[in-house]
Structure formats: structure tokens, C-alpha cells
Amino acid sequence: MSTFLNHFDSINDPRIERCKRHELLDILLLAICAVMSGAEGWEDIEDFGRVKLDWLRQYRPFEAGIPKHDTIARVMCRLKPAEIEQAFQSWISSLIQETGCDVIAIDGKTARRSFSTKDRKNALHAVSAWSCQHQLVLGQVAVNEKSNEITAIPELLTLLDIEKSIVTLDAMGCQKDIAQQIIRQKADYVLALKGNHSGMQKELEAWWHKCSREGFTQTNYDTYTDTSCGHGRIETRRCEQLLLELNWLKKDYQWSGLTSVIKVTSEVHEKSTGTETCEIRWYISSLKLDARQALQSVRSHWQVESMHWMLDMTFREDESRIRKKQGPLIFNVMRKIAMAMFKRDDTISASMARKKKMAGLDDKYRSTLLESAIKMR
């Protein structure tokens, strides 16, 4: 039976042999458990370890005791980003054996205060893949300082098994090469179309208006309407999906797998003020005709924002002052590991914020969380 730490055993220790007093896996386990219990910095990790040393020794020997916070920071900040991301993705894959028929939302987030003017270091920006079915981060890739999401997304897709899934991306990820890679990996896509492809959008809108004038009698067309009420407003979403004739599009716009164009009209009525707003969004997709499925995929994409919200509100990521070397990335991954443990836990019914507090106070509950992560499905 593989264990949680086996997936992180592949990370190379950056220290030379004669300088190794504390085992790398000891440091990793200490840091992950501390972040799960509310630690927000290197000193917090050391303090947690000194108070909970006897509990930690249930899982690792900690023969040299608990390292100083300077040692923890120095070792963790020198780890290689690619190895960290690969270890995290490997562990998540052991929890989820199949992602087929899932909607995978890919989006990026910046840890605002992780920049350093002294070292001229940009803030950490990581692109994550969120499983809407399992409510877990499937993997992530940190964006290179001299690059952007367009180069990071293909790297992330390469790490993932997305066969039979539906990949959703915002306008930044609406790229011909990315669409081709998704099809090559035997998945479908729904890509938001905005001003970055204005020529393609005009072509599709012209095709849409032509079909509309003909009453959609000359092509395959489907529509679905959904209404929701909450937060003092009523929102009606009308999704229309139209199968494309690729001959209508210029050759440059005939992307791999492109099958349909989706139009979502959102009408919002504010109860308190009586005001009404209307917004139209366009998407291109490889999905076949099914407006209900198309709307569900579009709406599911915004679940990734709940992950961003939890990182900021529950784990206070945007307030973190960790800046040196790989520190921001390390903490980002540890927060997502803790989030996955809380999400998978069904022993108690409580918010993630309450679970985090309980993990800090209750050794038995923390053991329950850790042991659920150790065992594979």
C-alpha cells in the first residue's frame, strides 16, 4: 500500500550529505501537518512541531527533533518547483482513479504579496486544474516569471489524464494549440471567446445571425434555460448551441475538434433595486449538440473561483509575506494538500475554516485527516 509520503519521496534533497541532520520527509510531514493546523509561516511550523512532537513521531522518527524555522525555510525554499508539482499531482492521482466525464476547470491565481522588490521577483502565479466532480485540485504549474498562462497551460495538461473529460478555459486559454492538445489527449473543450480573437468572434457572430434569420431551420440548433434565485437577485441563463459548418470559417479559424458555438445570455433582476442587467458571452466547443450539458460546463467552470476564495479567506494566501525563492510555491502546494484533506473528510459536517481550527486543536481529528490521505482508494 503506497503512502502519502511515498509520492513526495521522489523530491531530491538539495543539501549535501554531511549537512543533513533532519530527514527531508520529516520536514515535509511537519510542514504539511502544520499548515493543515493553521500555520502561516516558518516560525509557526517550528512552534507546531515543538508542541506536537510526540504526535508527529507516530508517523516519522524525527530522530533529531524539530528543526529551527531557519532550517525549515532554507531547505524548503531550495526544492525544485517541477518536482514539487509532480509529487502533488501524483498524490492527487492516487485519490482519483478516473476523471472521465468530469468537467476540469483550468484557471490561474496570483498570490498578491509574494513579490519582492528587493530581488525583483514577481508574485507567484500558478495555473491550477480543478475537478468539478471531485472538488479537488488535480494539479498545478507555476507560471515562469518571463512567461504567462498560455505557456503554462500546455505543461499542466501534459501532467493530467483528461481523457473523456470536458476542459473549460477562460479567454486567456482560448488558443489554437491548446485546443489541439486537448483533442489529442482525447478530451473535449469549452473555451471562452472574447476580444483576443475578435476576427473569429465576428465570423461566428455572422454565422449565428445568418442562421437566426433562417429560423435555425437549415442547421442543428438546441436551447436550454435555467433560472436561479439567491443573494437578493433572480438570474435567468439561456444557453443556445449551434453546430458549425466549418466551411463558413476562414481556414485559420478551423480549429482542431471545433464543432459548435455556444451563446449564453444572462439576465439578472436585482430585487432590492429593481434593476435589470443583461450579458451575452460566447464560447467555442468540441461538444456535440446538447445545450443543457453546454450550460452546465460553462457554469461549472466558475467553481474554480471557490478554490481561489478558500485559499484567500480560509488560508489567507493573499496576506502571506512568504517571498524568498520557492517559499510561495511550497506554501501554495501545502495549502492545496490541506484543502484536499478537508474536502475528502466526511467524519464531521463543518466548514473548511472550522475543520482547520479543529485540526489545530484535536490530535485525533488531525490523525483522521492524515490517515485518510495516507491510504489510497
Side-chain angles (χ1 to χ4, degrees):
M1 182 74 71
S2 295
T3 67
F4 171 67
L5 289 176
N6 282 155
H7 297 282
F8 293 84
D9 197 26
S10 60
I11 297 176
N12 291 313
D13 195 325
R15 299 168 292 175
I16 57 178
E17 280 300 323
R18 68 173 183 270
C19 295
K20 293 181 182 179
R21 185 183 174 196
H22 302 275
E23 293 290 332
L24 178 60
L25 286 181
D26 288 358
I27 297 174
L28 286 170
L29 178 64
L30 165 63
I32 290 168
C33 291
V35 170
M36 184 170 61
S37 303
E40 297 177 0
W42 307 117
E43 295 88 349
D44 293 346
I45 294 175
E46 180 189 351
D47 294 341
F48 170 85
R50 297 200 179 282
V51 173
K52 300 296 183 182
L53 179 57
D54 291 339
W55 178 84
L56 287 164
R57 280 179 169 157
Q58 296 178 70
Y59 304 101
R60 290 287 301 173
F62 286 89
E63 294 178 356
I66 299 299
K68 296 283 187 182
H69 65 268
D70 287 340
T71 300
I72 299 170
R74 185 169 58 253
V75 173
M76 299 285 274
C77 288
R78 291 173 59 195
L79 300 178
K80 294 181 179 179
E83 293 180 355
I84 299 165
E85 291 159 352
Q86 181 63 50
F88 173 68
Q89 192 273 332
S90 173
W91 172 61
I92 288 291
S93 295
S94 73
L95 304 180
I96 304 173
Q97 295 188 358
E98 185 176 350
T99 58
C101 302
D102 190 6
V103 176
I104 300 176
I106 296 180
D107 197 19
K109 179 185 181 299
T110 300
R112 293 184 183 179
R113 296 192 180 184
S114 59
F115 67 92
S116 174
T117 53
K118 180 180 178 181
D119 302 326
R120 296 184 179 181
K121 180 175 177 289
N122 293 335
L124 170 70
H125 188 81
V127 178
S128 303
W130 176 260
S131 166
C132 298
Q133 175 183 342
H134 300 282
Q135 295 288 291
L136 292 174
V137 178
L138 298 179
Q140 71 167 49
V141 170
V143 177
N144 189 288
E145 287 195 14
K146 297 182 180 179
S147 185
N148 55 33
E149 289 186 17
I150 296 174
T151 57
I153 290 171
E155 294 178 31
L156 178 57
L157 289 171
T158 302
L159 292 174
L160 303 175
D161 177 13
I162 60 173
E163 186 174 350
K164 298 180 181 179
S165 299
I166 301 171
V167 178
T168 62
L169 287 154
D170 60 14
M172 175 67 80
C174 185
Q175 304 293 329
K176 189 174 184 177
D177 291 342
I178 292 175
Q180 185 177 19
Q181 182 174 349
I182 293 170
I183 294 299
R184 191 165 58 244
Q185 291 185 231
K186 299 180 181 179
D188 285 300
Y189 59 78
V190 176
L191 309 179
L193 190 63
K194 289 187 179 179
N196 58 334
H197 290 290
S198 57
M200 186 178 194
Q201 184 169 338
K202 289 177 181 177
E203 290 268 322
L204 292 174
E205 287 181 6
W207 164 252
W208 190 280
H209 293 316
K210 171 186 176 295
C211 295
S212 178
R213 287 194 303 270
E214 297 170 353
F216 297 107
T217 56
Q218 304 300 317
T219 186
N220 291 318
Y221 170 79
D222 192 24
T223 182
Y224 177 75
T225 301
D226 174 63
T227 302
S228 61
C229 181
H231 304 287
R233 65 181 193 174
I234 300 172
E235 183 171 3
T236 302
R237 306 171 196 85
R238 184 165 186 255
C239 178
E240 300 170 87
Q241 188 181 18
L242 183 65
L243 290 188
L244 280 171
E245 290 183 14
L246 291 183
N247 293 335
W248 173 269
L249 291 173
K250 292 181 180 179
K251 190 174 182 180
D252 290 343
Y253 302 147
Q254 296 178 16
W255 291 12
S256 178
L258 180 56
T259 302
S260 62
V261 57
I262 300 166
K263 178 184 178 183
V264 177
T265 305
S266 178
E267 297 178 350
V268 178
H269 173 75
E270 298 287 348
K271 293 181 181 179
S272 59
T273 61
T275 58
E276 295 188 0
T277 58
C278 181
E279 182 183 10
I280 296 176
R281 299 186 297 273
W282 295 88
Y283 302 85
I284 57 172
S285 176
S286 62
L287 293 175
K288 295 180 180 179
L289 199 66
D290 188 338
R292 181 172 183 170
Q293 181 190 43
L295 182 59
Q296 288 174 344
S297 299
V298 168
R299 291 199 65 192
S300 295
H301 177 80
W302 300 110
Q303 288 186 28
V304 72
E305 296 298 332
S306 68
M307 181 263 290
H308 295 165
W309 186 90
M310 285 183 284
L311 287 173
D312 287 338
M313 303 305 294
T314 305
F315 294 94
R316 301 173 65 185
E317 181 170 81
D318 270 357
E319 300 176 35
S320 175
R321 309 294 287 186
I322 304 295
R323 294 175 173 177
K324 291 186 178 179
K325 297 183 179 179
Q326 306 308 326
L329 176 62
I330 291 288
F331 262 88
N332 179 266
V333 170
M334 291 192 296
R335 292 182 191 110
K336 287 174 179 173
I337 290 172
M339 187 189 303
M341 291 184 184
F342 293 140
K343 282 282 188 181
R344 282 172 49 80
D345 173 57
D346 57 4
T347 59
I348 61 170
S349 178
S351 66
M352 190 169 293
R354 282 184 62 200
K355 287 183 178 182
K356 190 179 76 165
K357 288 180 180 178
M358 291 176 64
L361 297 170
D362 188 345
D363 290 349
K364 289 184 179 179
Y365 180 61
R366 193 184 316 108
S367 293
T368 299
L369 291 171
L370 188 61
E371 286 162 14
S372 70
I374 286 174
K375 295 178 181 179
M376 290 174 57
R377 280 184 180 176

